[in-house]
Amino acid sequence: MELDFGFVSICLSEHNCSPAGSVTVTAAAKLADAEARIRKFKKVALKNLLNTKRIMFFNKAHSIGLYRFASQLIPLATHEYTDGWQWWEDTEIEKDLQGIGKLIAENGFKVSTHPPQVCVFNGEQDGSFEWVRRYLRYHNRLLDCMGLDAASKIVFHVGKGYENPKEGLKRAVDNFHSLPEHQRSRIILENDDTTYTAAQVLQLCLEIGVPMVLDIHHHWCRNDGENIEELLPQIFATWRGQKRPPKIHVSTPKNERKFRDHAEYIDTERVAPLIKKALSIGPFDIMIEAKAKDKALLKFRSELAGYLL
C-alpha cells in the first residue's frame, strides 16, 4: 500500500503513556509564586516529553510513519503564567526536544501539531486571531527545537462563518499574509464540520498557496453536495512542492444521533471506497482521529488491506 498511517497524541497500547499532561490556570493560580509555577510546569513538561519519546519507539516498532504531537507538551506555554520562562533554553527540556527530533529524523517520521479550537484563523486581528499568533509562536518553537523543517506542519481550521462567510474567508487571507514567512510555511488548513466546506477551503488554500488536509468526516457533516472524489485531485495538488505527500484525516461518526462525534474505531467499509479512489491519484498519508487512537489505527490498517486487494 502507498499509504502511511498516524494517530493523535496519546498511545493507548502503552501503559501510562500520555504526553498530554496539563496544569490548569486555576491550579497554577494556587501555587505560591512564579518560581513554584515554573517548577510545576517543567515537571509536567518533562513527563510529557518522556512519553512522547516512548511513543516514537512504539511507532517505530509498529511501522507507524505519522504522528500528531499533543498540543500542550509545555503546559500553559501560551499563557501569561509562562511569560519570562524561556523553556526552550532550559537544558533538560532542550535535550529532550532534540532527542525527539533525532528519533524523527532517523526514522523518517512525518509529524504535525493542531492548535485547539480557540485558534480561529479568520478571527479579528485585535481579538481571537491573537490565539493563532500565540500558538504559532509556541508550536513553531517546539518544532524548531526538535531541529525540524517546514515539512512538519501545523493544522488549522478556517474558523467562524460570522454573518457573511465570504467575508470570513477574505479575513483569513488577510490574516495569513500578516504572519511571518517562517510561520506561514508550516500552515495547512482543513475543512470543518460546521461552517466551511471542503470546496471553500480548497479555494482558500489555492489563493494563499498552502496545502489542504481533507477531513472526510467533516465533509460528511458539512457540504453543499460536492462530489468529494472529484475534488480529490485538486486537494492533493495543493501539496505539490512539499517534502511529504498529501494527508487526509479519517474518522467515522459515533452514531446517527451523534453524527459529528468521533467513534472509538473506524468503520472501514464506509471509508474504504474513498481511500481506493484516492490511491488512484497517488500515495498519501492518513491521520486517524478515532477515539481509540493507535488501537484504532492498527485495526483499520489491517482491515483496509483486505479491501484494497
Side-chain angles (χ1 to χ4, degrees):
M1 279 192 294
E2 297 178 294
L3 296 171
D4 230 341
F5 298 82
F7 64 96
V8 178
S9 184
I10 301 170
C11 181
L12 297 179
S13 296
E14 294 289 301
H15 177 67
N16 191 24
C17 195
S18 172
S22 63
V23 181
T24 66
V25 174
T26 301
K30 293 178 181 178
L31 296 172
D33 51 33
E35 288 188 8
R37 286 194 288 269
I38 298 307
R39 284 196 299 271
K40 178 65 174 177
F41 298 154
K42 179 176 176 178
K43 181 180 179 180
V44 175
L46 289 173
K47 180 67 177 295
N48 287 343
L49 295 174
L50 172 62
N51 284 339
T52 300
K53 281 187 182 179
R54 291 174 61 197
I55 292 169
M56 294 297 104
F57 286 113
F58 175 88
N59 287 352
K60 179 179 180 179
H62 292 84
S63 300
I64 296 171
L66 269 68
Y67 180 67
R68 183 191 300 167
F69 293 112
S71 184
Q72 294 288 1
L73 284 176
I74 311 297
L76 297 185
T78 59
H79 193 276
E80 61 185 15
Y81 275 153
T82 55
D83 288 352
W85 178 38
Q86 295 182 324
W87 52 265
W88 56 94
E89 294 181 354
D90 181 286
T91 303
E92 292 176 272
I93 290 177
E94 183 180 35
K95 181 181 178 181
D96 279 353
L97 288 170
Q98 289 174 351
I100 292 167
K102 184 179 179 182
L103 286 169
I104 291 167
E106 289 175 347
N107 293 283
F109 293 144
K110 290 162 280 187
V111 298
S112 60
T113 70
H114 195 330
Q117 290 182 346
V118 69
C119 295
V120 180
F121 206 82
N122 64 358
E124 296 85 353
Q125 281 280 345
D126 58 351
S128 55
F129 190 68
E130 177 58 26
W131 284 109
V132 172
R133 294 186 182 279
R134 292 186 192 184
Y135 272 92
L136 271 172
R137 286 194 295 268
Y138 161 44
H139 283 189
N140 264 285
R141 188 162 272 149
L142 272 178
L143 298 171
D144 285 344
C145 287
M146 293 178 195
L148 304 176
D149 62 17
S152 300
K153 298 299 186 182
I154 304 174
V155 186
F156 286 96
H157 291 276
V158 176
K160 301 176 182 178
Y162 298 94
E163 293 182 2
N164 185 337
K166 289 185 179 179
E167 192 63 31
L169 289 170
K170 182 180 182 302
R171 188 182 292 114
V173 173
D174 294 339
N175 286 347
F176 175 81
H177 288 299
S178 75
L179 296 168
E181 194 282 330
H182 73 280
Q183 293 183 3
R184 296 199 304 267
S185 66
R186 279 200 169 114
I187 291 170
I188 55 179
L189 299 177
E190 72 167 299
N191 55 303
D192 64 57
D193 58 350
T194 57
T195 306
Y196 290 106
T197 67
Q200 290 173 314
V201 176
L202 171 60
Q203 291 307 309
L204 175 59
C205 288
L206 290 172
E207 182 170 354
I208 63 178
V210 304
M212 176 181 166
V213 177
L214 170 66
D215 189 306
I216 186 57
H217 187 177
H218 290 173
H219 169 70
W220 294 331
C221 294
R222 171 70 184 103
N223 64 79
D224 290 329
E226 304 93 339
N227 183 330
I228 199 62
E229 293 187 1
E230 292 179 0
L231 291 179
L232 270 174
Q234 299 174 68
I235 292 172
F236 280 14
T238 64
W239 290 81
R240 286 176 184 158
Q242 298 291 323
K243 293 182 179 180
R244 57 189 293 180
K247 180 173 69 166
I248 68 173
H249 291 174
V250 170
S251 60
T252 46
K254 184 173 183 178
N255 54 49
E256 290 304 312
R257 186 171 62 86
K258 295 184 177 180
F259 194 83
R260 289 169 56 195
D261 294 352
H262 293 179
E264 288 291 311
Y265 290 87
I266 303 296
D267 180 348
T268 305
E269 184 176 4
R270 184 168 194 161
V271 176
L274 179 71
I275 302 298
K276 195 167 185 176
K277 172 64 178 179
L279 275 172
S280 70
I281 303 169
F284 62 99
D285 294 333
I286 297 176
M287 180 61 72
I288 299 297
E289 294 190 323
K291 295 290 186 182
K293 307 284 184 178
D294 55 292
K295 293 183 178 182
L297 182 158
L298 296 172
K299 183 175 183 289
F300 176 66
R301 186 171 65 181
S302 176
E303 292 176 350
L304 183 64
Y307 282 90
L308 300 181
L309 290 176

